[in-house]
Amino acid sequence: MCVPGCEEAVLQRLTRRGLFKGLGAVSAATFAATALPTAAVAQQKSFSKVVDLTHTMSPDFPTFFGVPGIEMQKQFDFKKDGFNLYWWRIIEHAGTHMDAPIHFSEAGATIDKIPADSLVAPLCVIDIVAKAEKDVDATVAVADIQAYEAKHGRIADGAVVAMNSGWDKHVTSPKFMGKDGAGVLHFPGFSAEAAEFLMNSRNVRGMAVDSASLDHGPAQDFTVPYVWLA
């Protein structure tokens, strides 16, 4: 999540210090970069550019509850006070963000308990753009993961597996949440079978989406978040 002005400052800092060697797990972000084979990612020692996966958080950013994702109240002004400062009121699960296990479990780890070095990991991008263009409720299926592995090799231990559905292009339109007349949401996500496959058959560290949830929109019971985050 990034409010106006923070993106430029962060990118300048990253360029100056060269901190990134991998990508962590985010939601509602742009996964436009082509995935490298996991072996190549593991061997890569440096990078030539930073791919910004954030969206600017604003009061208009779509949320599950239909309320502003962030409200900003200016407390200090540079001309008057010598510095700028805002009070923020935010929904923690809107925009580009990370879900900690506590989000869907009774006693799971909070975000401050997750070691920072665990967020640096190989990134495997499962492309379902074509499926999502035909079906707004498309999901990453086990077959999609197997097709990725047939091309790039087995998903590395400790990798983050991200869905690229192309849904980020809808983030400024009602289609991002896709609420219909009956109040049902429509957007892509992971299938429960794919989540269980990654959890039980692959030693992955994270899952990521460019839509509003790990589940696809019509899911009524948050099956994937409950299975994965717990």
Side-chain angles (χ1 to χ4, degrees):
M1 175 173 62
C2 190
V3 298
C6 81
E7 178 180 325
E8 292 80 1
V10 170
L11 286 177
Q12 288 173 5
R13 187 173 181 84
L14 290 177
T15 301
R16 189 165 61 245
R17 296 181 61 185
L19 292 177
F20 280 1
K21 292 186 180 178
L23 293 173
V26 294
S27 174
T30 307
F31 293 104
T34 301
L36 292 173
T38 53
V41 174
Q43 295 172 5
Q44 190 169 328
K45 300 299 183 182
S46 63
F47 62 91
S48 59
K49 66 178 180 178
V50 172
V51 179
D52 182 13
L53 301 180
T54 63
H55 287 285
T56 299
M57 176 56 80
S58 73
D60 298 324
F61 200 96
T63 67
F64 268 91
F65 308 106
V67 298
I70 185 170
E71 296 175 315
M72 300 175 66
Q73 179 181 342
K74 195 164 190 178
Q75 295 294 303
F76 297 92
D77 180 78
F78 185 83
K79 290 184 177 179
K80 176 177 177 291
D81 305 299
F83 63 98
N84 291 309
L85 185 146
Y86 284 84
W87 282 106
W88 293 0
R89 184 173 186 267
I90 66 172
I91 295 177
E92 65 178 351
H93 291 282
T96 307
H97 68 281
M98 176 178 167
D99 288 343
I102 192 65
H103 184 36
F104 273 91
S105 58
E106 185 174 1
T110 53
I111 200 76
D112 59 303
K113 301 298 183 184
I114 299 175
D117 60 1
S118 72
L119 304 182
V120 180
L123 178 66
C124 303
V125 180
I126 310 297
D127 191 321
I128 63 162
V129 172
K131 287 175 63 173
E133 287 177 348
K134 296 177 181 178
D135 179 8
V136 296
D137 298 326
T139 61
V140 174
V142 174
D144 297 312
I145 299 171
Q146 292 171 334
Y148 172 90
E149 291 189 323
K151 183 176 181 180
H152 298 292
R154 184 182 174 93
I155 292 172
D157 287 350
V160 171
V161 177
M163 174 188 79
N164 173 24
S165 66
W167 217 245
D168 61 284
K169 66 177 176 285
H170 301 304
V171 75
T172 58
S173 77
K175 189 173 181 177
F176 186 74
M177 300 301 293
K179 184 178 290 188
D180 62 23
V184 178
L185 304 180
H186 298 278
F187 51 76
F190 278 86
S191 69
E193 294 77 14
E196 290 173 355
F197 176 82
L198 291 172
M199 191 167 58
N200 298 325
S201 300
R202 299 292 183 270
N203 183 26
V204 301
R205 186 172 295 173
M207 295 168 59
V209 293
D210 57 351
S211 61
S213 175
L214 291 176
D215 268 322
H216 70 163
Q220 300 294 311
D221 52 7
F222 298 107
T223 299
V224 175
Y226 274 121
V227 167
W228 173 252
L229 292 175

